[in-house]
Amino acid sequence: MNSKDIFNYLEIIEFQISKHKDEIEKLDQEIGDGDHIFNVLRGLKEANSLKEKNINEPVDKVFKQIGMKIMTTVGGSSGALFATLIIGMSKKYDNSLENLENISNMFSEGVEAMKIRGKSNVGEKTMLDVLIPVAIKLKEIKNEKKMNLVAEKIKKVAQEGMLSTKEMIATKGRASFLGERAKGHIDPGARSSQLAIEAICNELIKLEENL
Amino acid sequence: MKKFINNVENILSESLSGFGKAHADILNVSLSPDFIYRKNKSSKPKVALISGGGSGHEPLHGGFVGTGMLDAACPGQVFSAPTPDQMEAAANKVHNDKGILFIVKNYSGDIMNFEMGADIIDHEHTTVIVNDDVAVEDSTFTTGRRGVAGTMIVEKTVGSLAETGASLEECKNFGDHVNKMTGSMGVAFTSCTVPAAGKPTFELSGDEIEFGVGIHGEPGRKREKIRSANELTKDIIESILEDLKPDNNQEVLLHINGFGGTPLMELYLLFECGQKLLEKNNIKVTRSIVGNFTTSLEMAGGSFTITKLDEKITKHWDTPVHTAALRWKM
């Protein structure tokens, strides 16, 4: 996997999240203020605009550029958190994305940075309810060689994490002001994170099938 | 959605650009990264005050940039926190040898982005977090109380102190003090429409109100039927007083803030209700301000803010100020 692939995944993520635009907006209007999807799509569009200039740059530089772009164009909590994830990942890059253990280490580093930035953990009805279980699962299966199996497992964990936010009371962010009223609604940040992971996993499964 | 729009993606830049031109005598607007800063940098070293937050609350914060108040303001997209590069650029522009004081309303997105901005600047800095909204309980199970209309009072008084050449630590302590002396709570009659969303953030039927609403239309304590202004005033003021616990004969500043869609006539009526009720409770309103200062786009409704006054707060409230939205004695 190289910088070209990263931009390819970014495009796939943007496509997948765009497809669910109305659904995410509705989730956010129920427990937030409705801006999440617009911020995320603006950030993805801007990040994709880096492709032309950076497609041949080293992977860690590309991650950092994308992180900075998200940091400076998304705004809100999601901008700060997604940027922290990606910049955190860039710091742990170890010369290759071919090895699942390297990817797992990078992802864990990014997620740890998010936990610190957001002063949050699992169970608080946020995107971390998707991303933390995914980081843990990746570590658990880091020696698995079949990428389609990895993708299936990660997809499942992300899905479960996203759904788990439904019955939670939010204790962080704007949804926390709702108290009990937030119950019964999936967190929009968890949904967009899960969709991004699902998009990557589906692509990995497709690539494997075409081998 | 009926709003004055050319292209929904350019609302903020076009509005900022217009704001800069309309107030060219006192401030400049920088675009990409977006920030508003004073035209004339003070010739004496001073603590530079930088605030910011999502747009849609105008005149907060850009309208408070100028002599006696803020040095710079960083506007985010509508209801979304600004990004760290805005804070960095603003800090580099306005720092004036005595450090940077960030004034931030207590929302997760604002806190995180201001923290990231602070991480990348080289100047000495610290932050005052404003959380005056008594509608939300401050406990470990919530993000804590929100920063609302009391923010203007913090910005005015700390801005005045900073003009005297006070140190960063003095400004920070005074900001925390004014915040602690201030409590607010509001009521919404209608929702507001975030331009990018194109439809109302929440639904209220004809006779319903959101009691204790936040400045982004976030839910408050309860949704209920509309009642008389006196009854609403009583519930709101009692909630604020419960929080502020004023002494007998306490002097206070009473601020009635409109959310953007309620006529001034009603806001003054609300002042009348509030002033009378406070008088009955042996509280003296010695300073007052009424108007749309911390808005939520076109939301109808308004809020009460009470600040317990001491000699120092009164003094720094009274000093001259010259900004787009607040101007007196100069």
Side-chain angles (χ1 to χ4, degrees):
Chain A
M1 198 153 62
N2 54 30
S3 295
K4 190 167 163 262
D5 298 319
I6 293 172
F7 281 110
N8 183 32
Y9 282 117
L10 208 55
E11 261 171 40
I12 294 166
I13 290 171
E14 187 184 357
F15 179 73
Q16 173 83 332
I17 292 183
S18 301
K19 261 197 334 201
H20 295 268
K21 180 173 169 282
D22 293 342
E23 178 205 329
I24 295 173
E25 188 191 345
K26 191 159 178 291
L27 290 176
D28 195 22
Q29 290 201 321
E30 278 159 354
I31 62 169
D33 58 15
D35 61 347
H36 178 69
I37 187 66
F38 304 104
N39 293 341
V40 167
L41 287 178
R42 183 176 53 248
L44 283 168
K45 195 174 141 202
E46 292 278 347
N48 273 319
S49 75
L50 293 167
K51 183 174 174 178
E52 214 167 294
K53 270 194 182 158
N54 293 277
I55 198 154
N56 295 316
E57 295 289 337
V59 166
D60 52 341
K61 197 183 157 205
V62 165
F63 266 106
K64 193 156 179 235
Q65 294 272 7
I66 293 173
M68 291 302 281
K69 197 54 139 181
I70 288 176
M71 179 175 104
T72 56
T73 58
V74 178
S77 304
S78 49
L81 289 168
F82 284 134
T84 301
L85 171 70
I86 294 166
I87 294 169
M89 286 175 73
S90 78
K91 288 183 184 157
K92 200 74 178 183
Y93 177 63
D94 189 13
N95 290 317
S96 161
L97 287 179
E98 301 310 321
N99 168 339
L100 188 60
E101 188 170 355
N102 285 355
I103 296 176
S104 165
N105 288 341
M106 283 174 75
F107 195 72
S108 290
E109 180 83 5
V111 170
E112 284 305 315
M114 283 175 96
K115 282 158 74 175
I116 295 168
R117 178 65 66 203
K119 301 181 187 76
S120 187
N121 215 315
V122 279
E124 299 195 276
K125 205 178 181 90
T126 70
M127 51 181 79
L128 285 171
D129 288 306
V130 169
L131 300 173
I132 292 173
V134 165
I136 292 170
K137 193 68 181 178
L138 267 178
K139 201 172 273 178
E140 206 181 291
I141 57 174
K142 65 187 178 199
N143 296 319
E144 176 62 62
K145 296 284 176 262
K146 290 192 179 116
M147 281 316 280
N148 55 339
L149 274 181
V150 170
E152 289 291 358
K153 283 180 179 161
I154 294 299
K155 213 169 109 170
K156 184 162 170 277
V157 168
Q159 175 84 11
E160 286 165 0
M162 178 270 290
L163 291 174
S164 75
T165 63
K166 187 165 179 178
E167 289 313 315
M168 290 178 188
I169 294 174
T171 49
K172 285 284 180 310
R174 242 169 245 171
S176 73
F177 304 128
L178 282 158
E180 289 282 334
R181 281 198 263 179
K183 270 194 181 174
H185 302 285
I186 289 165
D187 177 67
R191 180 62 166 147
S192 53
S193 304
Q194 177 263 329
L195 283 168
I197 287 165
E198 187 181 70
I200 297 171
C201 291
N202 284 343
E203 183 66 11
L204 282 171
I205 293 165
K206 209 166 82 190
L207 288 174
E208 200 84 355
E209 280 168 356
N210 291 343
L211 276 182
Chain B
M1 174 174 62
K2 282 184 275 187
K3 286 176 188 286
F4 292 114
I5 293 177
N6 294 312
N7 174 341
V8 84
E9 282 174 21
N10 300 335
I11 288 181
L12 183 58
S13 56
E14 287 181 52
S15 174
L16 285 173
S17 188
F19 180 72
K21 287 171 186 164
H23 299 287
D25 54 331
I26 49 175
L27 50 85
N28 287 320
V29 170
S30 147
L31 294 176
S32 310
D34 298 345
F35 65 99
I36 297 157
Y37 61 102
R38 286 191 201 182
K39 183 146 218 144
N40 302 313
K41 200 167 174 171
S42 165
S43 54
K44 297 175 295 189
K46 76 179 277 289
V47 172
L49 265 58
I50 301 178
S51 189
S55 293
H57 306 302
E58 292 71 19
L60 187 84
H61 299 270
F64 302 137
V65 170
T67 308
M69 228 166 153
L70 299 177
D71 292 271
C74 305
Q77 294 293 323
V78 173
F79 293 177
S80 286
T83 56
D85 54 316
Q86 294 174 254
M87 283 63 106
E88 182 193 21
N92 287 335
K93 189 82 198 175
V94 301
H95 78 93
N96 199 349
D97 295 337
K98 295 200 82 161
I100 307 275
L101 183 68
F102 292 111
I103 299 179
V104 184
K105 303 193 294 303
N106 190 30
Y107 297 95
S108 314
D110 289 319
I111 303 266
M112 282 190 249
N113 281 284
F114 270 88
E115 272 176 11
M116 289 169 85
D119 283 352
I120 49 179
I121 65 169
D122 296 325
H123 316 287
E124 192 190 0
H125 58 82
T126 185
T127 302
V128 169
I129 292 172
V130 183
N131 62 349
D132 53 313
D133 187 357
V134 304
V136 179
E137 206 167 322
D138 192 12
S139 80
T140 48
F141 301 106
T142 70
T143 300
R145 286 161 49 147
R146 303 172 285 217
V148 291
T151 312
M152 174 185 72
I153 296 161
V154 175
E155 291 176 358
K156 167 67 186 80
T157 50
V158 181
S160 164
L161 179 66
E163 299 290 343
T164 67
S167 71
L168 184 59
E169 197 191 349
E170 285 174 84
C171 291
K172 150 82 178 160
N173 291 342
F174 187 51
D176 288 341
H177 171 66
V178 177
N179 176 54
K180 225 190 302 171
M181 302 284 267
T182 301
S184 303
M185 190 154 140
V187 168
F189 297 150
T190 66
S191 181
C192 50
T193 298
V194 175
K199 48 183 180 283
T201 303
F202 60 102
E203 299 288 342
L204 279 178
S205 64
D207 58 350
E208 267 185 333
I209 63 168
E210 182 73 35
F211 188 81
V213 73
I215 55 172
H216 310 90
E218 313 95 308
R221 289 190 175 178
K222 57 188 174 189
R223 192 164 282 194
E224 56 173 26
K225 298 276 182 222
I226 180 82
R227 293 178 283 148
S228 75
N230 274 329
E231 286 170 308
L232 291 172
T233 300
K234 183 168 177 287
D235 282 2
I236 293 173
I237 296 243
E238 277 174 4
S239 302
I240 299 174
L241 294 183
E242 203 172 296
D243 184 77
L244 291 179
K245 299 187 175 57
D247 296 330
N248 229 2
N249 291 319
Q250 171 76 52
E251 294 190 355
V252 299
L253 183 165
L254 177 59
H255 169 31
I256 308 293
N257 175 56
F259 288 141
T262 287
L264 271 175
M265 193 183 83
E266 289 173 44
L267 299 183
Y268 280 110
L269 183 150
L270 216 48
F271 186 86
E272 169 72 8
C273 300
Q275 193 276 338
K276 270 192 185 155
L277 186 68
L278 287 171
E279 196 172 43
K280 227 200 259 170
N281 282 279
N282 293 322
I283 293 162
K284 286 188 204 156
V285 177
T286 58
R287 296 291 182 279
S288 52
I289 183 159
V290 178
N292 296 288
F293 292 104
T294 304
T295 59
S296 309
L297 298 167
E298 76 278 41
M299 190 157 92
S303 61
F304 285 88
T305 297
I306 296 172
T307 299
K308 289 195 286 184
L309 293 171
D310 54 27
E311 212 172 299
K312 192 171 174 185
I313 301 177
T314 308
K315 177 180 142 196
H316 289 295
W317 177 257
D318 287 345
T319 49
V321 60
H322 186 184
T323 67
L326 274 195
R327 182 176 187 181
W328 54 72
K329 296 183 185 168
M330 69 188 300

